[in-house]
Amino acid sequence: MSGDAHPSYDPATGEVLCDVPVSGTDLVDEAVEASRIALKGAWASVTPAERSRMLNRVAQAIRKDAQRLATVECLDSGKPLREAVGDIETSARYFEYYAGIADKLQGDTIPLGPDFVSFTMHEPIGATAHIIPWNFPLVTTARGLAPALAAGATAVIKPAEQTPLTALMLPVYLEQAGIPAGVVNVVCGPGKMTGAPLTQHPGIAHVTFTGSVDTGKTVMMSAASHIASTTMELGGKSPVVVLADADFDAAIEGTLKAIFTNAGQVCSAGSRLVIERSVADKFLSELIKRIEQFTFGHGLDNPNIGPVVSKQQLLKIEGIVRDSVSAGAELLTGGNIKRPDKLNGWFFEPTILLAGDSSTKCVQEEIFGPVLTVQIAADFEHALELAEGTDFGLVAGIYTKDVSKALRFSRKISAGQVFINQFFAGGVETPFGGTKNSGFGREKGLEGLKAYYTVKTVTARI
Ligand code: NAI
Ligand code: MG
């Protein structure tokens, strides 16, 4: 109910950072109403060129306050400060990138012969809802909000209840940039209390959701009740394939980055290493050596591994590791909850599990923690089969010097994005989204705009 408060924690200490007021149905209704009024009113009268300038100013305002934003993101989510600094820059970059297209969204003319003139116009989709997860709070907000604004749509943002603070800072930058009141609204609270009434609201034309598969299904049903379109980014169990001919050092660095960035709480994490048998022993010993040197600590102290976001997440990670070991997976290192000096927060040791059977939980389920599952492949064809063996399909990586194998892999694998001899390069400019249980729709790049406008065709007999 509106008026209640929900705590946000510092995941490193486990202590309450602050209490955030909850928006219930009444405030959600007000937010949607404000965004609908702005859509037809103040925002509709801003020219595309001026929208572009405003988005550039949002990017500048974020950059100007980057240190403060990064500190808040670090405290609220637990992520190492250097990663939070990167997140804030990426958030600014989204606004800058989409500023460049706001005045270039133009339609086509369609040739129908001498008696007709036919053309298309792009129109903003309407008031949009953005349901944000806790792993990349400001980045995920900017990823959907910047293209929505570029296309002339308005927005209601619901940050995750674990990490609402940077979304609450955003309206100040939007105001400084001249974006009219009502164009962007932020409502806070848990999914059932705040997210549900928002996605069920008939005034919402499109829902952009990032989170778990089950909540995604619920959100799709809410959107279906009033025929809203959706973008669904539902995470993954993405493979990193390392073939015997791969550049050893590049593959080690890539594998570490793919799974231990943000303590593994990354939708596109490379959480399954699929490695060719002939190099497996050497590769695994080097990985273990490297992660046994990792430092732990508060995000502000820039450790290799920070805490995970919540006690619930910590227990989920521990549970999947335990169940996988009982089902035959072999623990190569880690596997336990960790208590670094003087910190009572939620830490988990970086962990490597050698999977037994492909049906084991650590192969099939998204863990969202610092846990790498290893599968050994006899050869390239076997690696491809193992890589493809889950219900997810978000991203996939391959390390090899053999171009034809890399391209064959790219063609065969179910994934929205394939990384060759690197992991995570690109970002703002490269389209991103899943297949299978990882969801549908594309964000980032020019593809990311398409959710936020509709095409109207006008045809005249002349
Ligand atoms: P979740 O999917 O429940 O939460 C994501 C967002 O959805 C949050 O803002 C939440 O408040 C909202 N939400 C929850 N119920 C809702 C409802 N009925 N209607 C509208 N909005 C609702 O995920 P949760 O519980 O935080 O994490 C569970 C697991 O989900 C993680 O362990 C991880 O595996 C996965 N996950 C995946 C993410 C990704 O990037 N794809 C991000 C966060 C979680
Ligand atoms: Mg928090």
Side-chain angles (χ1 to χ4, degrees), residues 26-40:
D26 51 338
L27 283 178
V28 168
D29 287 350
E30 263 186 52
V32 176
E33 187 58 16
S35 64
R36 282 171 62 80
I37 291 170
L39 178 76
K40 301 288 178 199

Side-chain angles (χ1 to χ4, degrees), residues 13 42 85 99 113 133 181 224 226 229 240 269 330 377 424 439:
T13 61
V85 167
H226 53 98
S229 51
V240 182
E330 187 186 337
F424 292 145

Side-chain angles (χ1 to χ4, degrees), residues 57-80:
R57 290 199 292 263
V58 176
Q60 285 161 13
I62 289 175
R63 286 203 175 105
K64 215 170 143 203
D65 213 11
Q67 198 53 44
R68 205 163 66 103
L69 275 164
T71 306
V72 172
E73 199 77 302
C74 167
L75 284 168
D76 203 13
S77 71
K79 65 176 65 197

Side-chain angles (χ1 to χ4, degrees), residues 42-62:
W43 197 224
S45 59
V46 173
T47 64
E50 185 54 18
R51 280 209 303 268
S52 164
R53 283 191 284 270
M54 286 176 178
L55 292 178
N56 266 318
R57 290 199 292 263
V58 176
Q60 285 161 13
I62 289 175

